[in-house]
Amino acid sequence: MLKRPPDLAFDLGKMHLRRNDLAAAREAFQTAVASGHPDWAPLAAAELGDLLNALGDKPAAEGAYHVAVDSGHADASPRAAYHFGLLLAERGDAAAAEAMYQRAAESGHPDAAPRAWINLGYSRAKRGDSDAARAAYEQAITSGTGEIARLALSNLAYLLRTEGDTDGLKAAYRAVIDDWPADQALVAAGDLIQHLSDAGDLAGAREAARFLAESDDPALAARASFDIGVFSSMLGDAETALTAFQRALDSTDAEARTRAADALAPIYHERAATVLRETDWAGLAHAQGSAADAPVMLADLIGDDADDRSRGIDFLYSAVLHEDSVYSVTAPAIQVVLGALLHERTDVSYARAWLSEPQPLRLELLNWLHEVIATAAWQSAAEDDDALTPADRAAAAACMALVRDIRGAAAAALAMAETDSVAGAATEVLAMLSSLPVVSG
């Protein structure tokens, strides 16, 4: 038989592997191993161990791995030790597996060592040695790169969570977020948000989301802003929630905008219900006198049938806003209208006698908001108009104080819009608000 040089035998083995000729690959690797060459023999032994293990010949695989491990070869020995550890763990010999993982881990091999540290950590955690497991995972994080380091961090996070060590969890992620490249740090921050959210640490999850919200990736920043809004809502911090949702609504990311609009709707609904319930309506006035009838008329905006909704719209134009004037009832009425604007019952067609065809009720509400804010802005700016009473000016100021809320609701309506007319009306409201000093400055 023609004797092949060990390097040629090794290369033939690799070629046969690529061609899936496993028998020929086995023979070629065995030839290289038998050569006893200080480089090619251990490299071939490591490959042969992997091949035999895949073929199910575990005893023969162990023998090949032993040859590679005992060689001390800088590349073959740690790789074989790691794979030998996997084989031993599969067989149930945890102590022997850990010994092999330890050998591979301490080698400093760029690929085998961090993988071995991960498996060593897992094995230690499984037998209850949490401190040793944590140390192994930390070694893997330090020595590994990319997905390997992230896997190690994820395993460490799971260990810390099971022990209830939320502070340790945060510290582990903060360390890598500060040190890792920006793209990997963003991924780690996303993982941390999920871990903290699952652990019930909403304040911690919100803080991690703030890191993502500063990303240069517009979509990532928008979705993080949405998360901040959700966590803030759950924490009872309505103002921060509204600011975060508004940032998501102002983005160009369609998913973030839609989700923010859906999240804002119940906030506005609850505010509207509170205003309807707690406002002293009889102490307010509209164009026709006492506003004692306002809560019933405003509630009609989301009434059960078209007649109710039509009556509510008539009330807005005939009493709440009338002949270019706003009244003391107008500001609280705006808050109710904002709740109605994002209510599912206003996402319907609306027929009026003077309309050639039905139009969305949401469009009517947006048009009214546009008109009422334009009127309030004029009424606030008309300093030399002697016809305006202090009550008129106070009513206008109360309306202008709601510009931020109107902007949020209009942006949400734009994100929800399914017709060009509603989208156009919402855009016009936003454009007008942006031109006001209270918004732009």
Side-chain angles (χ1 to χ4, degrees):
M1 175 182 286
L2 178 65
K3 290 187 177 180
R4 299 188 180 94
D7 57 340
L8 177 58
F10 178 82
D11 289 340
L12 281 173
K14 297 287 284 185
M15 181 189 72
H16 290 312
L17 271 183
R18 289 192 295 271
R19 294 177 176 178
N20 204 33
D21 188 347
L22 303 185
R26 179 174 183 170
E27 180 182 353
F29 287 138
Q30 286 173 331
T31 298
V33 172
S35 74
H37 190 279
D39 287 322
W40 300 112
L43 288 170
E47 295 287 346
L48 182 60
D50 291 344
L51 173 58
L52 293 170
N53 191 20
L55 291 171
D57 190 348
K58 306 297 182 179
E62 287 188 29
Y65 283 140
H66 267 301
V67 170
V69 171
D70 294 342
S71 72
H73 189 275
D75 181 48
S77 179
R79 286 195 295 109
Y82 170 66
H83 289 126
F84 194 7
L86 295 176
L87 186 154
L88 292 167
E90 182 182 344
R91 195 173 71 190
D93 192 346
E98 284 194 24
M100 282 295 148
Y101 292 146
Q102 188 80 40
R103 185 161 182 168
E106 292 178 349
S107 72
H109 189 278
D111 181 63
R115 293 177 187 274
W117 280 122
I118 291 176
N119 283 65
L120 191 57
Y122 177 79
S123 184
R124 289 171 174 176
K126 192 174 181 180
R127 59 179 169 82
D129 192 347
S130 297
D131 290 340
R134 178 171 181 168
Y137 287 140
E138 289 172 345
Q139 287 281 359
I141 294 168
T142 302
S143 60
T145 58
E147 289 301 313
I148 295 300
R150 185 185 176 198
L151 175 60
L153 181 59
S154 179
N155 283 13
L156 175 59
Y158 178 80
L159 174 66
L160 294 171
R161 276 185 57 195
T162 57
E163 296 179 340
D165 188 0
T166 304
D167 289 339
L169 174 67
K170 292 178 185 176
Y173 271 94
R174 285 188 186 123
V176 301
I177 288 171
D178 290 340
D179 293 341
W180 282 3
D183 57 339
Q184 295 180 40
L186 291 174
V187 173
D191 291 342
L192 176 58
I193 292 170
Q194 188 63 56
H195 282 302
L196 293 176
S197 177
D198 291 344
D201 184 358
L202 302 180
R206 180 173 68 175
E207 191 61 32
R210 284 181 169 137
F211 175 81
L212 289 183
E214 299 305 318
S215 167
D216 292 332
D217 183 328
L220 186 61
R223 295 176 193 187
S225 294
F226 169 77
D227 288 337
I228 292 170
V230 171
F231 294 134
S232 297
S233 293
M234 296 172 71
L235 289 165
D237 186 353
E239 288 305 309
T240 300
L242 288 172
T243 299
F245 287 140
Q246 185 65 61
R247 185 173 178 182
L249 285 168
D250 290 341
S251 75
T252 57
D253 185 73
E255 179 181 340
R257 293 175 64 242
T258 300
R259 293 173 70 189
D262 290 340
L264 272 176
I267 295 176
Y268 279 98
H269 297 165
E270 183 175 349
R271 284 187 171 187
T274 300
V275 170
L276 277 173
R277 184 176 60 252
E278 298 182 0
T279 299
D280 179 16
W281 298 99
L284 302 177
H286 53 51
Q288 299 167 7
S290 170
D293 58 343
V296 174
M297 303 300 288
L298 292 172
D300 281 341
L301 293 171
I302 54 172
D304 292 332
D305 57 46
D307 288 341
D308 291 337
R309 294 188 284 270
S310 177
R311 187 164 52 247
I313 292 293
D314 288 341
F315 179 72
L316 290 179
Y317 279 102
S318 63
V320 181
L321 173 69
H322 183 65
E323 294 183 353
D324 295 327
S325 295
V326 294
Y327 306 87
S328 58
V329 76
T330 308
I334 287 174
Q335 296 183 72
V336 177
V337 168
L338 297 182
L341 179 67
L342 305 182
H343 198 285
E344 59 183 7
R345 286 188 178 175
T346 61
D347 189 22
V348 296
S349 295
Y350 168 77
R352 299 296 292 267
W354 58 85
L355 297 174
S356 59
E357 59 184 26
Q359 65 182 18
L361 178 55
R362 196 165 281 167
L363 172 62
E364 189 78 72
L365 294 177
L366 285 165
N367 288 339
W368 182 83
L369 285 169
H370 188 286
E371 189 171 340
V372 78
I373 287 300
T375 300
W378 168 82
Q379 203 162 299
S380 296
E383 298 178 358
D384 299 328
D385 192 334
D386 295 335
L388 293 176
T389 67
D392 294 331
R393 298 185 187 281
C399 293
M400 297 305 293
L402 296 174
V403 162
R404 178 191 176 197
D405 293 340
I406 298 170
R407 182 172 183 263
L414 177 59
M416 293 176 171
E418 296 182 355
T419 65
D420 291 341
S421 60
V422 170
T427 300
E428 288 182 8
V429 171
L430 291 171
M432 182 191 65
L433 294 175
S434 296
S435 70
L436 299 176
V438 70
V439 176
S440 61

